[in-house]
Amino acid sequence: MAKNYIQDGDVIEFLNGSVAKKSGDVVVIGSNGDALLGIALNDVAANAVGNAGIEDVWQCPKVSGAVIAQGEYVMWDSSANAFDDNLATPATGDVTDGAIAWESKGVGATTIIVKLIGKPGILT
């Protein structure tokens, strides 16, 4: 089990892309405008099948300059490999509306606890 697991939730099997994932990494599952956010439950090699939690509460990377309020939707910033606040402008590969901040975090913090909501977010 990933070391950042906090609460029970659903698990989905996914086909990993061309970059290996480590246990605890955020994964984006889907395409064509919709995507689920998940957390890899084990190490997953490139182009291999793995399992991801999609409705749990997890500690994840956060963009250090972001100010995030508890309860706000957060954006997965794929280029930063971290969650950003809902005022950030999405770029290609980013996912909005797929997770909610479980706590408030300000500038300088590099992790945040988020709840993955188990519904497709918007993939830019």
Side-chain angles (χ1 to χ4, degrees), residues 1-69:
M1 184 59 65
K3 64 184 175 192
N4 57 341
Y5 180 80
I6 295 176
Q7 293 179 353
D8 288 339
D10 293 338
V11 174
I12 188 170
E13 188 174 86
F14 71 100
L15 177 61
N16 193 24
S18 60
V19 177
K21 298 290 184 184
K22 293 186 180 214
S23 175
D25 283 352
V26 174
V27 296
V28 176
I29 305 163
S31 60
N32 299 325
D34 293 322
L36 283 173
L37 292 174
I39 301 293
L41 297 179
N42 48 23
D43 293 346
V44 184
N47 303 308
V49 174
N51 291 306
I54 61 167
E55 290 189 356
D56 304 331
V57 177
W58 304 89
Q59 184 175 35
C60 296
K62 175 194 157 294
V63 173
S64 66
V67 176
I68 298 174

Side-chain angles (χ1 to χ4, degrees), residues 52-111:
I54 61 167
E55 290 189 356
D56 304 331
V57 177
W58 304 89
Q59 184 175 35
C60 296
K62 175 194 157 294
V63 173
S64 66
V67 176
I68 298 174
Q70 184 179 34
E72 85 174 62
Y73 277 105
V74 288
M75 177 184 78
W76 176 249
D77 184 329
S78 62
S79 63
N81 205 31
F83 282 99
D84 206 341
D85 63 58
N86 62 14
L87 298 177
T89 302
T92 301
D94 294 348
V95 179
T96 57
D97 299 340
I100 298 170
W102 208 245
E103 63 180 346
S104 297
K105 284 288 180 101
V107 172
T110 58
T111 63

